[in-house]
Amino acid sequence: MDLTTAKQQLATASATHHEPSALTKRRLAALTAFKTLALPKMPKLKFQTWPFFERQPNLTWTGAAAFDLAPALEEQVRLTQVGQVTLDAHVPAALKDQGVLLMDLFTALQTVPDLVLKFLMTVVKADENKLTAHHLAYLNAGAFLYVPRGVKVTAPVEINMTQDSTQPHQPLIHHLLIVAEANSQVDVIQHLTTQGTAANPASLMVEIVAQANSRVTFSSLDELGAQTVTYFKRRAQIGRDAKVEWAVGMMNAGNTVGEMDSELVGEGGEGDSKLIAITTADQQVGINNRVTHHGQHTTGLINQRGVLLGQSRLVFNGIGEIIHGAHGAKAEQQNRVLMMSPATRGDANPILLIDENDVEAGHAASVGPVNPVQLNYLLSRGIPKPVAQRLVIRGFLAAVLTAIPTQRVREELIAILERKLTDGQA
């Protein structure tokens, strides 16, 4: 399809969907950029031929397959989406009175367009690479969370997103925008799953705007299906004395490539990025986990651990960058990979980019098989080998699991982990 025809189709679909003209203009600009931009870089992983794009892309909205959903409790803060359909968006009255918003992204673009457009695709720029441009041009699902100045949301915000792959040619291009104004606080728990077995790509983006002295904890349990090729990009812009904690369980069954970024733009900001990944069968996964220090006296931590089963491939790139002028910055990272089969291949690459003298920076990395002493000890106690291996893996991941701040997320992640390991060892 030529660019002129594609832009005409895109503009018509956007207008039919009653989108603000400002968003339509951004979509068209992104589509123009898409034609010339390159794919993002992922050292040591060849993903350039993965089917991220439909051959004849079009911006469409479809209904959702049948889905059972229990009513939200009064105290719950919850949004549930299946494909492009929002099944519920529940915010307690007390939080509504304080100005907290949780809704479908396109509903927000119609009800509070100025607020959404002020922040949408500002933390992540559409012209960063081919995948970010495509994401904005064909964005077809999303959610918006807004926490006003000084408001503390004590209950976790639950965002459940189910990819509808009951039919082919239904790409999911989902955008979660979180804005935490100054002195606010919020914990977000995202759960990503797939319904159906059709092969569909997914482009998943999270933008977090954490203004001065705010606190945002973002946890995600990713369980997309084996037929889903996924690109994800999660980035936080962290203001003065603000803190963002990431806790991600990367349990997708399909090929996945993506980036997690903490941009420490204000003095005294903190970014803490924890990630666990399990790969099975012939799956390929590549992750760039980056913390960039712009402000002075900022702290950036990366702790990611991966377990490889079957014939899978996993690449961890931990990137700590300290910009010139970021005096007093502290950057620490750990990247560790455990290979449970000789047919697997793992990479743990610590990267430090430092352009300032008055800083502290360090890293640790390891790639290797299971500790035979630990495994033999368990086997000598009569524990079956698959169970013994899972116990060793649990011990290997404990440093990240125990550091996840929310107990419920820890418990859900452990349950998913056990299921993934059992299936992977079958």
Side-chain angles (χ1 to χ4, degrees):
M1 184 188 303
D2 65 273
L3 180 59
T4 300
T5 302
K7 292 177 77 170
Q8 288 174 345
Q9 289 186 357
L10 190 60
T12 300
S14 182
T16 303
H17 200 227
H18 307 294
E19 296 179 350
S21 59
L23 177 61
T24 305
K25 291 178 182 178
R26 293 189 193 184
R27 286 188 184 275
L28 296 174
L31 180 58
T32 301
F34 167 77
K35 295 295 184 178
T36 57
L37 289 169
L39 290 167
K41 295 180 179 179
M42 183 62 61
K44 299 190 177 182
L45 184 69
K46 295 181 179 179
F47 67 96
Q48 289 76 13
T49 59
W50 292 5
F52 292 113
F53 316 114
E54 291 279 295
R55 289 188 177 181
Q56 294 292 332
N58 204 350
L59 184 61
T60 60
W61 282 267
T62 60
F67 192 88
D68 293 329
L69 179 65
L73 302 175
E74 178 54 36
E75 67 274 13
Q76 274 187 295
V77 190
R78 186 182 79 176
L79 182 137
T80 304
Q81 297 177 311
V82 178
Q84 299 166 311
V85 177
T86 297
L87 301 185
D88 82 335
H90 183 266
V91 180
L95 290 177
K96 286 183 179 179
D97 292 342
Q98 295 180 77
V100 173
L101 301 176
L102 176 63
M103 62 182 71
D104 173 83
L105 180 65
F106 295 102
T107 301
L109 280 163
Q110 293 178 2
T111 57
V112 286
D114 293 342
L115 182 61
V116 177
L117 291 170
K118 179 181 178 181
F119 297 105
L120 181 66
M121 296 295 285
T122 59
V123 178
V124 178
K125 307 297 184 183
D127 60 0
E128 289 187 18
N129 60 61
K130 202 172 194 69
L131 292 171
T132 55
H134 181 269
H135 180 93
L136 178 56
Y138 290 101
L139 176 65
N140 62 16
F144 177 56
L145 171 62
Y146 172 72
V147 185
R149 177 184 295 267
V151 175
K152 292 179 171 53
V153 182
T154 56
V157 177
E158 305 168 42
I159 299 177
N160 302 305
M161 177 67 231
T162 298
Q163 177 196 24
D164 186 356
S165 281
T166 55
Q167 299 292 331
H169 308 298
Q170 293 190 144
L172 175 64
I173 305 176
H174 186 277
H175 195 103
L176 172 56
L177 175 60
I178 300 170
V179 179
E181 289 199 334
N183 302 306
S184 65
Q185 179 176 316
V186 65
D187 295 340
V188 180
I189 301 173
Q190 182 184 56
H191 195 181
L192 303 172
T193 56
T194 299
Q195 178 176 245
T197 58
N200 285 307
S203 175
L204 308 172
M205 193 173 291
V206 178
E207 287 186 292
I208 299 177
V209 179
Q211 296 184 355
N213 202 41
S214 62
R215 297 289 184 272
V216 179
T217 300
F218 180 87
S219 304
S220 187
L221 307 174
D222 298 2
E223 289 188 279
L224 297 177
Q227 300 302 314
T228 300
V229 173
T230 302
Y231 170 68
F232 73 88
K233 192 171 186 69
R234 293 164 170 153
R235 179 178 293 169
Q237 179 179 285
I238 304 170
R240 183 184 181 94
D241 295 322
K243 183 175 183 179
V244 172
E245 291 187 72
W246 303 93
V248 174
M250 187 63 61
M251 306 294 172
N252 293 340
N255 291 343
T256 301
V257 65
E259 302 161 294
M260 289 177 56
D261 302 319
S262 298
E263 296 284 341
L264 297 163
V265 298
E267 182 175 356
E270 296 183 43
D272 187 347
S273 183
K274 306 178 187 72
L275 183 142
I276 288 172
I278 311 293
T279 58
T280 60
D282 59 354
Q283 183 182 10
Q284 297 186 64
V285 175
I287 299 169
N288 287 336
N289 199 336
R290 175 189 292 268
V291 178
T292 305
H293 301 254
H294 301 271
Q296 298 183 9
H297 306 291
T298 50
T299 301
L301 305 173
I302 296 172
N303 191 353
Q304 48 189 0
R305 301 202 174 200
V307 178
L308 290 80
L309 303 167
Q311 300 83 43
S312 60
R313 174 79 190 276
L314 172 63
V315 177
F316 276 158
N317 297 308
I319 306 162
E321 183 172 6
I322 301 177
I323 304 297
H324 182 69
H327 301 287
K330 297 179 181 179
E332 296 287 342
Q333 61 171 287
Q334 292 189 33
N335 308 275
R336 302 191 185 277
V337 172
L338 182 64
M339 297 185 294
M340 301 300 296
S341 162
T344 61
R345 183 176 175 184
D347 288 278
N349 307 306
I351 302 168
L352 292 174
L353 307 171
I354 301 173
D355 193 20
E356 186 54 64
N357 294 320
D358 180 23
V359 299
E360 296 179 24
H363 63 79
S366 65
V367 177
V370 65
N371 187 318
V373 175
Q374 293 176 341
L375 187 60
N376 288 334
Y377 176 84
L378 295 172
L379 293 174
S380 69
R381 268 46 181 186
I383 299 174
K385 187 175 181 179
V387 177
Q389 287 180 325
R390 292 202 296 274
L391 289 173
V392 172
I393 291 170
R394 284 280 297 273
F396 172 74
L397 299 176
V400 177
L401 285 170
T402 57
I404 293 174
T406 306
Q407 180 178 353
R408 177 183 163 189
V409 174
R410 289 197 302 271
E411 292 173 350
E412 289 189 17
L413 183 53
I414 289 170
I416 295 169
L417 172 65
E418 289 293 334
R419 185 166 66 250
K420 181 93 169 175
L421 291 175
T422 300
D423 293 343
Q425 292 175 322

